Amino acid sequence: MAESFLAQIKSRCTYYSIQRKSPISDTRILEIAREVIKHTPSSFNCQSTRFVILLQDEHIRFWEIAKECFKAAMSVDEYKGYEKKLVERQAGYGTVLLYEDLDVIREFQVQFPRFKHHLLDFSEHNNAMQAFNLWTALHLEGFACNLQHVNPIVDQRVVSEWKVSPNWSLRAQLVFGAPIGERHHEKTFVPTDHRILVHGMDREG
Ligand SMILES: Cc1cc2nc3c(=O)[nH]c(=O)nc-3n(C[C@H](O)[C@H](O)[C@H](O)COP(=O)(O)O)c2cc1C
């Protein structure tokens, strides 16, 4: 029963070689984002994650802003090495900015004081689960995706550019576009035996 789900999560991977083309309509991208954000679980069902979806020219604008922010923050030499990565991201079709609404987290901290400190961790978990589901869903629709973290350096510029609430905390960016050529890298794995301990397992299986 789990085989088709396992096959789907096995097929997801990081792609950096992407282009400004989309295998699906923008309406379908929004539909997928709606389904993911709605059906991905969150702590206490607080539904704290927010998406800002930037497509086509808006995606290019985002990565232009990232270039400006990093250029201002880095030495000339450091930036020279880093710019290539930003140009690679900009070559894609879209970026989803994944936020956590801190007002929601604070509200739940008041409601559940015993979990006050956990709730910030849980907020990261909520966001990561959304990222994984969105990444896998867009991958299955034919997009090549990669996950980035140019926050917090771009945060203020994004707030003013797209009127994002300053109470939303940017946690990650999922970049996507049509794939160019082969996957960037083969997945590598450490043995799972090192990562899973089992007790009480039936010897017969
Ligand atoms: C929490 C998390 C943070 C990541 N951050 C970045 C990142 O900032 N930049 C990047 O290029 N890849 C990032 N990645 C991608 C990982 O490097 C990648 O998923 C990992 O090497 C396994 O490769 P795969 O995605 O092809 O399975 C991140 C992945 C996760 C799960």
mmCIF file of all heavy atoms in Angstrom, residues 88-124:
data_model
loop_
_atom_site.group_PDB
_atom_site.id
_atom_site.type_symbol
_atom_site.label_atom_id
_atom_site.label_comp_id
_atom_site.label_asym_id
_atom_site.label_seq_id
_atom_site.Cartn_x
_atom_site.Cartn_y
_atom_site.Cartn_z
ATOM 1 N N GLU A 88 21.989 31.110 -10.972
ATOM 2 C CA GLU A 88 21.420 29.775 -11.241
ATOM 3 C C GLU A 88 19.981 29.680 -10.719
ATOM 4 O O GLU A 88 19.101 29.143 -11.383
ATOM 5 C CB GLU A 88 22.275 28.731 -10.516
ATOM 6 C CG GLU A 88 22.740 27.588 -11.377
ATOM 7 C CD GLU A 88 23.625 26.610 -10.597
ATOM 8 O OE1 GLU A 88 23.744 26.708 -9.362
ATOM 9 O OE2 GLU A 88 24.205 25.731 -11.248
ATOM 10 N N ARG A 89 19.759 30.200 -9.524
ATOM 11 C CA ARG A 89 18.397 30.177 -8.953
ATOM 12 C C ARG A 89 17.469 31.055 -9.785
ATOM 13 O O ARG A 89 16.328 30.714 -10.041
ATOM 14 C CB ARG A 89 18.370 30.684 -7.500
ATOM 15 C CG ARG A 89 19.431 30.136 -6.579
ATOM 16 C CD ARG A 89 19.324 28.654 -6.327
ATOM 17 N NE ARG A 89 20.473 28.206 -5.565
ATOM 18 C CZ ARG A 89 21.467 27.450 -6.059
ATOM 19 N NH1 ARG A 89 21.427 27.016 -7.305
ATOM 20 N NH2 ARG A 89 22.475 27.098 -5.293
ATOM 21 N N GLN A 90 17.975 32.195 -10.181
ATOM 22 C CA GLN A 90 17.158 33.169 -10.929
ATOM 23 C C GLN A 90 16.728 32.615 -12.284
ATOM 24 O O GLN A 90 15.721 33.042 -12.839
ATOM 25 C CB GLN A 90 17.975 34.456 -11.120
ATOM 26 C CG GLN A 90 17.153 35.630 -11.596
ATOM 27 C CD GLN A 90 17.980 36.905 -11.621
ATOM 28 O OE1 GLN A 90 19.166 36.892 -11.936
ATOM 29 N NE2 GLN A 90 17.354 38.011 -11.296
ATOM 30 N N ALA A 91 17.474 31.660 -12.795
ATOM 31 C CA ALA A 91 17.159 31.080 -14.109
ATOM 32 C C ALA A 91 15.871 30.256 -14.086
ATOM 33 O O ALA A 91 15.377 29.853 -15.140
ATOM 34 C CB ALA A 91 18.323 30.212 -14.570
ATOM 35 N N GLY A 92 15.314 29.999 -12.907
ATOM 36 C CA GLY A 92 14.112 29.173 -12.790
ATOM 37 C C GLY A 92 12.836 29.909 -13.148
ATOM 38 O O GLY A 92 12.860 31.058 -13.620
ATOM 39 N N TYR A 93 11.717 29.248 -12.880
ATOM 40 C CA TYR A 93 10.391 29.785 -13.231
ATOM 41 C C TYR A 93 9.701 30.465 -12.044
ATOM 42 O O TYR A 93 8.958 31.416 -12.202
ATOM 43 C CB TYR A 93 9.507 28.638 -13.726
ATOM 44 C CG TYR A 93 8.157 29.086 -14.212
ATOM 45 C CD1 TYR A 93 8.003 29.593 -15.497
ATOM 46 C CD2 TYR A 93 7.028 29.009 -13.389
ATOM 47 C CE1 TYR A 93 6.762 30.017 -15.950
ATOM 48 C CE2 TYR A 93 5.788 29.431 -13.839
ATOM 49 C CZ TYR A 93 5.658 29.934 -15.119
ATOM 50 O OH TYR A 93 4.432 30.359 -15.571
ATOM 51 N N GLY A 94 9.946 29.920 -10.853
ATOM 52 C CA GLY A 94 9.250 30.466 -9.693
ATOM 53 C C GLY A 94 9.964 30.149 -8.390
ATOM 54 O O GLY A 94 10.863 29.293 -8.354
ATOM 55 N N THR A 95 9.572 30.880 -7.369
ATOM 56 C CA THR A 95 10.078 30.630 -6.009
ATOM 57 C C THR A 95 8.901 30.752 -5.048
ATOM 58 O O THR A 95 8.130 31.714 -5.132
ATOM 59 C CB THR A 95 11.152 31.673 -5.606
ATOM 60 O OG1 THR A 95 12.231 31.612 -6.530
ATOM 61 C CG2 THR A 95 11.686 31.426 -4.207
ATOM 62 N N VAL A 96 8.788 29.769 -4.168
ATOM 63 C CA VAL A 96 7.810 29.909 -3.079
ATOM 64 C C VAL A 96 8.579 30.290 -1.822
ATOM 65 O O VAL A 96 9.513 29.576 -1.419
ATOM 66 C CB VAL A 96 7.012 28.612 -2.835
ATOM 67 C CG1 VAL A 96 6.052 28.803 -1.649
ATOM 68 C CG2 VAL A 96 6.230 28.211 -4.077
ATOM 69 N N LEU A 97 8.208 31.429 -1.244
ATOM 70 C CA LEU A 97 8.799 31.842 0.026
ATOM 71 C C LEU A 97 7.969 31.204 1.130
ATOM 72 O O LEU A 97 6.740 31.380 1.164
ATOM 73 C CB LEU A 97 8.770 33.362 0.177
ATOM 74 C CG LEU A 97 9.277 34.183 -1.021
ATOM 75 C CD1 LEU A 97 9.197 35.676 -0.696
ATOM 76 C CD2 LEU A 97 10.690 33.788 -1.394
ATOM 77 N N LEU A 98 8.628 30.450 1.992
ATOM 78 C CA LEU A 98 7.909 29.759 3.077
ATOM 79 C C LEU A 98 8.107 30.521 4.374
ATOM 80 O O LEU A 98 9.241 30.668 4.850
ATOM 81 C CB LEU A 98 8.412 28.321 3.222
ATOM 82 C CG LEU A 98 8.037 27.389 2.071
ATOM 83 C CD1 LEU A 98 9.245 27.073 1.218
ATOM 84 C CD2 LEU A 98 7.434 26.105 2.600
ATOM 85 N N TYR A 99 7.002 30.978 4.905
ATOM 86 C CA TYR A 99 7.013 31.781 6.132
ATOM 87 C C TYR A 99 6.341 31.050 7.278
ATOM 88 O O TYR A 99 5.526 30.151 7.071
ATOM 89 C CB TYR A 99 6.218 33.070 5.915
ATOM 90 C CG TYR A 99 6.920 34.121 5.116
ATOM 91 C CD1 TYR A 99 6.817 34.138 3.733
ATOM 92 C CD2 TYR A 99 7.668 35.112 5.743
ATOM 93 C CE1 TYR A 99 7.452 35.113 2.982
ATOM 94 C CE2 TYR A 99 8.310 36.094 5.002
ATOM 95 C CZ TYR A 99 8.199 36.093 3.627
ATOM 96 O OH TYR A 99 8.826 37.058 2.893
ATOM 97 N N GLU A 100 6.636 31.509 8.489
ATOM 98 C CA GLU A 100 5.866 31.150 9.675
ATOM 99 C C GLU A 100 5.265 32.433 10.243
ATOM 100 O O GLU A 100 5.977 33.443 10.427
ATOM 101 C CB GLU A 100 6.763 30.489 10.727
ATOM 102 C CG GLU A 100 7.133 29.058 10.387
ATOM 103 C CD GLU A 100 5.926 28.130 10.352
ATOM 104 O OE1 GLU A 100 5.292 27.942 11.400
ATOM 105 O OE2 GLU A 100 5.609 27.585 9.272
ATOM 106 N N ASP A 101 3.962 32.403 10.512
ATOM 107 C CA ASP A 101 3.286 33.567 11.086
ATOM 108 C C ASP A 101 3.509 33.567 12.601
ATOM 109 O O ASP A 101 2.917 32.765 13.331
ATOM 110 C CB ASP A 101 1.793 33.491 10.743
ATOM 111 C CG ASP A 101 1.050 34.744 11.181
ATOM 112 O OD1 ASP A 101 1.557 35.467 12.070
ATOM 113 O OD2 ASP A 101 -0.050 34.983 10.639
ATOM 114 N N LEU A 102 4.377 34.464 13.057
ATOM 115 C CA LEU A 102 4.752 34.459 14.486
ATOM 116 C C LEU A 102 3.606 34.892 15.386
ATOM 117 O O LEU A 102 3.585 34.552 16.574
ATOM 118 C CB LEU A 102 5.987 35.341 14.698
ATOM 119 C CG LEU A 102 7.251 34.853 13.976
ATOM 120 C CD1 LEU A 102 8.434 35.769 14.269
ATOM 121 C CD2 LEU A 102 7.602 33.412 14.329
ATOM 122 N N ASP A 103 2.638 35.626 14.834
ATOM 123 C CA ASP A 103 1.449 35.976 15.629
ATOM 124 C C ASP A 103 0.705 34.708 16.041
ATOM 125 O O ASP A 103 0.209 34.589 17.161
ATOM 126 C CB ASP A 103 0.499 36.870 14.828
ATOM 127 C CG ASP A 103 0.987 38.311 14.783
ATOM 128 O OD1 ASP A 103 1.847 38.663 15.615
ATOM 129 O OD2 ASP A 103 0.512 39.060 13.913
ATOM 130 N N VAL A 104 0.633 33.760 15.102
ATOM 131 C CA VAL A 104 -0.056 32.494 15.393
ATOM 132 C C VAL A 104 0.712 31.729 16.471
ATOM 133 O O VAL A 104 0.113 31.205 17.422
ATOM 134 C CB VAL A 104 -0.189 31.641 14.103
ATOM 135 C CG1 VAL A 104 -0.717 30.249 14.422
ATOM 136 C CG2 VAL A 104 -1.078 32.330 13.097
ATOM 137 N N ILE A 105 2.033 31.686 16.323
ATOM 138 C CA ILE A 105 2.843 30.952 17.302
ATOM 139 C C ILE A 105 2.669 31.579 18.693
ATOM 140 O O ILE A 105 2.442 30.869 19.680
ATOM 141 C CB ILE A 105 4.340 30.939 16.886
ATOM 142 C CG1 ILE A 105 4.503 30.301 15.493
ATOM 143 C CG2 ILE A 105 5.200 30.218 17.922
ATOM 144 C CD1 ILE A 105 4.003 28.878 15.355
ATOM 145 N N ARG A 106 2.715 32.906 18.761
ATOM 146 C CA ARG A 106 2.552 33.589 20.065
ATOM 147 C C ARG A 106 1.183 33.295 20.663
ATOM 148 O O ARG A 106 1.055 33.051 21.861
ATOM 149 C CB ARG A 106 2.738 35.109 19.902
ATOM 150 C CG ARG A 106 4.198 35.475 19.714
ATOM 151 C CD ARG A 106 4.406 36.988 19.718
ATOM 152 N NE ARG A 106 5.597 37.303 18.950
ATOM 153 C CZ ARG A 106 5.617 37.844 17.740
ATOM 154 N NH1 ARG A 106 4.486 38.194 17.134
ATOM 155 N NH2 ARG A 106 6.745 38.069 17.116
ATOM 156 N N GLU A 107 0.178 33.288 19.826
ATOM 157 C CA GLU A 107 -1.194 33.003 20.292
ATOM 158 C C GLU A 107 -1.262 31.605 20.918
ATOM 159 O O GLU A 107 -1.843 31.427 21.996
ATOM 160 C CB GLU A 107 -2.096 33.080 19.051
ATOM 161 C CG GLU A 107 -3.573 33.001 19.288
ATOM 162 C CD GLU A 107 -4.283 32.871 17.926
ATOM 163 O OE1 GLU A 107 -3.944 33.630 16.986
ATOM 164 O OE2 GLU A 107 -5.149 31.966 17.812
ATOM 165 N N PHE A 108 -0.625 30.654 20.274
ATOM 166 C CA PHE A 108 -0.655 29.279 20.797
ATOM 167 C C PHE A 108 0.243 29.137 22.021
ATOM 168 O O PHE A 108 -0.022 28.296 22.891
ATOM 169 C CB PHE A 108 -0.302 28.265 19.697
ATOM 170 C CG PHE A 108 -1.496 27.921 18.847
ATOM 171 C CD1 PHE A 108 -1.977 28.817 17.893
ATOM 172 C CD2 PHE A 108 -2.180 26.729 19.029
ATOM 173 C CE1 PHE A 108 -3.102 28.524 17.139
ATOM 174 C CE2 PHE A 108 -3.303 26.423 18.278
ATOM 175 C CZ PHE A 108 -3.762 27.319 17.325
ATOM 176 N N GLN A 109 1.278 29.962 22.122
ATOM 177 C CA GLN A 109 2.123 29.927 23.334
ATOM 178 C C GLN A 109 1.315 30.388 24.548
ATOM 179 O O GLN A 109 1.478 29.861 25.650
ATOM 180 C CB GLN A 109 3.359 30.817 23.150
ATOM 181 C CG GLN A 109 4.418 30.178 22.266
ATOM 182 C CD GLN A 109 5.592 31.086 22.007
ATOM 183 O OE1 GLN A 109 5.427 32.285 21.815
ATOM 184 N NE2 GLN A 109 6.796 30.519 21.996
ATOM 185 N N VAL A 110 0.434 31.353 24.320
ATOM 186 C CA VAL A 110 -0.424 31.833 25.412
ATOM 187 C C VAL A 110 -1.457 30.759 25.760
ATOM 188 O O VAL A 110 -1.705 30.458 26.932
ATOM 189 C CB VAL A 110 -1.117 33.169 25.009
ATOM 190 C CG1 VAL A 110 -2.194 33.559 26.028
ATOM 191 C CG2 VAL A 110 -0.089 34.275 24.839
ATOM 192 N N GLN A 111 -2.000 30.143 24.727
ATOM 193 C CA GLN A 111 -3.040 29.125 24.920
ATOM 194 C C GLN A 111 -2.489 27.845 25.569
ATOM 195 O O GLN A 111 -3.189 27.190 26.333
ATOM 196 C CB GLN A 111 -3.608 28.783 23.545
ATOM 197 C CG GLN A 111 -5.102 28.563 23.525
ATOM 198 C CD GLN A 111 -5.544 28.356 22.074
ATOM 199 O OE1 GLN A 111 -5.108 29.060 21.161
ATOM 200 N NE2 GLN A 111 -6.403 27.371 21.867
ATOM 201 N N PHE A 112 -1.236 27.517 25.245
ATOM 202 C CA PHE A 112 -0.631 26.275 25.753
ATOM 203 C C PHE A 112 0.709 26.591 26.419
ATOM 204 O O PHE A 112 1.772 26.272 25.876
ATOM 205 C CB PHE A 112 -0.431 25.268 24.618
ATOM 206 C CG PHE A 112 -1.702 24.883 23.906
ATOM 207 C CD1 PHE A 112 -2.057 25.490 22.716
ATOM 208 C CD2 PHE A 112 -2.545 23.914 24.453
ATOM 209 C CE1 PHE A 112 -3.240 25.144 22.069
ATOM 210 C CE2 PHE A 112 -3.727 23.560 23.810
ATOM 211 C CZ PHE A 112 -4.079 24.186 22.611
ATOM 212 N N PRO A 113 0.668 27.243 27.597
ATOM 213 C CA PRO A 113 1.916 27.728 28.212
ATOM 214 C C PRO A 113 2.928 26.619 28.493
ATOM 215 O O PRO A 113 4.123 26.865 28.464
ATOM 216 C CB PRO A 113 1.443 28.399 29.513
ATOM 217 C CG PRO A 113 0.008 28.067 29.668
ATOM 218 C CD PRO A 113 -0.522 27.602 28.361
ATOM 219 N N ARG A 114 2.464 25.397 28.732
ATOM 220 C CA ARG A 114 3.395 24.307 29.002
ATOM 221 C C ARG A 114 4.256 23.999 27.776
ATOM 222 O O ARG A 114 5.352 23.468 27.877
ATOM 223 C CB ARG A 114 2.621 23.057 29.436
ATOM 224 C CG ARG A 114 3.473 22.011 30.139
ATOM 225 C CD ARG A 114 2.623 21.029 30.918
ATOM 226 N NE ARG A 114 1.883 20.119 30.061
ATOM 227 C CZ ARG A 114 2.417 19.069 29.424
ATOM 228 N NH1 ARG A 114 3.700 18.816 29.546
ATOM 229 N NH2 ARG A 114 1.678 18.282 28.687
ATOM 230 N N PHE A 115 3.771 24.353 26.597
ATOM 231 C CA PHE A 115 4.499 24.077 25.347
ATOM 232 C C PHE A 115 5.149 25.339 24.765
ATOM 233 O O PHE A 115 5.546 25.359 23.606
ATOM 234 C CB PHE A 115 3.546 23.460 24.316
ATOM 235 C CG PHE A 115 3.172 22.057 24.640
ATOM 236 C CD1 PHE A 115 2.065 21.768 25.425
ATOM 237 C CD2 PHE A 115 3.951 20.993 24.177
ATOM 238 C CE1 PHE A 115 1.734 20.465 25.741
ATOM 239 C CE2 PHE A 115 3.624 19.687 24.482
ATOM 240 C CZ PHE A 115 2.515 19.424 25.275
ATOM 241 N N LYS A 116 5.233 26.375 25.641
ATOM 242 C CA LYS A 116 5.738 27.673 25.163
ATOM 243 C C LYS A 116 7.034 27.532 24.342
ATOM 244 O O LYS A 116 7.159 28.065 23.247
ATOM 245 C CB LYS A 116 5.975 28.573 26.379
ATOM 246 C CG LYS A 116 6.272 30.000 26.036
ATOM 247 C CD LYS A 116 6.232 30.865 27.281
ATOM 248 C CE LYS A 116 6.288 32.299 26.837
ATOM 249 N NZ LYS A 116 7.424 33.017 27.014
ATOM 250 N N HIS A 117 7.997 26.787 24.907
ATOM 251 C CA HIS A 117 9.299 26.696 24.244
ATOM 252 C C HIS A 117 9.271 25.721 23.068
ATOM 253 O O HIS A 117 9.955 25.928 22.072
ATOM 254 C CB HIS A 117 10.385 26.325 25.258
ATOM 255 C CG HIS A 117 10.481 27.347 26.339
ATOM 256 N ND1 HIS A 117 10.878 28.641 26.084
ATOM 257 C CD2 HIS A 117 10.159 27.303 27.659
ATOM 258 C CE1 HIS A 117 10.827 29.347 27.198
ATOM 259 N NE2 HIS A 117 10.393 28.553 28.170
ATOM 260 N N HIS A 118 8.464 24.674 23.204
ATOM 261 C CA HIS A 118 8.358 23.720 22.096
ATOM 262 C C HIS A 118 7.750 24.373 20.849
ATOM 263 O O HIS A 118 8.050 23.972 19.727
ATOM 264 C CB HIS A 118 7.450 22.552 22.482
ATOM 265 C CG HIS A 118 8.063 21.612 23.472
ATOM 266 N ND1 HIS A 118 9.262 21.004 23.267
ATOM 267 C CD2 HIS A 118 7.616 21.172 24.671
ATOM 268 C CE1 HIS A 118 9.545 20.234 24.296
ATOM 269 N NE2 HIS A 118 8.560 20.321 25.170
ATOM 270 N N LEU A 119 6.865 25.351 21.085
ATOM 271 C CA LEU A 119 6.100 25.849 19.938
ATOM 272 C C LEU A 119 6.973 26.495 18.865
ATOM 273 O O LEU A 119 6.651 26.424 17.675
ATOM 274 C CB LEU A 119 4.980 26.789 20.407
ATOM 275 C CG LEU A 119 3.722 25.990 20.762
ATOM 276 C CD1 LEU A 119 2.851 26.710 21.776
ATOM 277 C CD2 LEU A 119 2.909 25.667 19.511
ATOM 278 N N LEU A 120 8.087 27.087 19.279
ATOM 279 C CA LEU A 120 8.994 27.655 18.270
ATOM 280 C C LEU A 120 9.665 26.543 17.459
ATOM 281 O O LEU A 120 9.818 26.661 16.240
ATOM 282 C CB LEU A 120 10.041 28.551 18.916
ATOM 283 C CG LEU A 120 9.613 29.996 19.147
ATOM 284 C CD1 LEU A 120 10.716 30.772 19.834
ATOM 285 C CD2 LEU A 120 9.201 30.687 17.843
ATOM 286 N N ASP A 121 10.057 25.466 18.150
ATOM 287 C CA ASP A 121 10.597 24.299 17.430
ATOM 288 C C ASP A 121 9.527 23.710 16.509
ATOM 289 O O ASP A 121 9.788 23.401 15.342
ATOM 290 C CB ASP A 121 11.039 23.205 18.404
ATOM 291 C CG ASP A 121 12.327 23.562 19.115
ATOM 292 O OD1 ASP A 121 13.039 24.448 18.629
ATOM 293 O OD2 ASP A 121 12.607 22.951 20.163
ATOM 294 N N PHE A 122 8.343 23.559 17.060
ATOM 295 C CA PHE A 122 7.251 22.981 16.264
ATOM 296 C C PHE A 122 6.990 23.829 15.012
ATOM 297 O O PHE A 122 6.646 23.307 13.951
ATOM 298 C CB PHE A 122 5.957 22.903 17.086
ATOM 299 C CG PHE A 122 5.968 21.888 18.193
ATOM 300 C CD1 PHE A 122 4.998 21.928 19.198
ATOM 301 C CD2 PHE A 122 6.916 20.881 18.250
ATOM 302 C CE1 PHE A 122 4.980 20.991 20.227
ATOM 303 C CE2 PHE A 122 6.917 19.939 19.276
ATOM 304 C CZ PHE A 122 5.942 19.997 20.263
ATOM 305 N N SER A 123 7.136 25.132 15.166
ATOM 306 C CA SER A 123 6.925 26.028 14.030
ATOM 307 C C SER A 123 7.907 25.692 12.903
ATOM 308 O O SER A 123 7.533 25.649 11.717
ATOM 309 C CB SER A 123 7.090 27.469 14.515
ATOM 310 O OG SER A 123 7.232 28.348 13.447
ATOM 311 N N GLU A 124 9.164 25.417 13.271
ATOM 312 C CA GLU A 124 10.159 25.003 12.266
ATOM 313 C C GLU A 124 9.740 23.677 11.629
ATOM 314 O O GLU A 124 9.890 23.476 10.420
ATOM 315 C CB GLU A 124 11.549 24.828 12.901
ATOM 316 C CG GLU A 124 12.138 26.089 13.511
ATOM 317 C CD GLU A 124 12.561 27.127 12.472
ATOM 318 O OE1 GLU A 124 12.681 26.777 11.299
ATOM 319 O OE2 GLU A 124 12.743 28.283 12.864
#
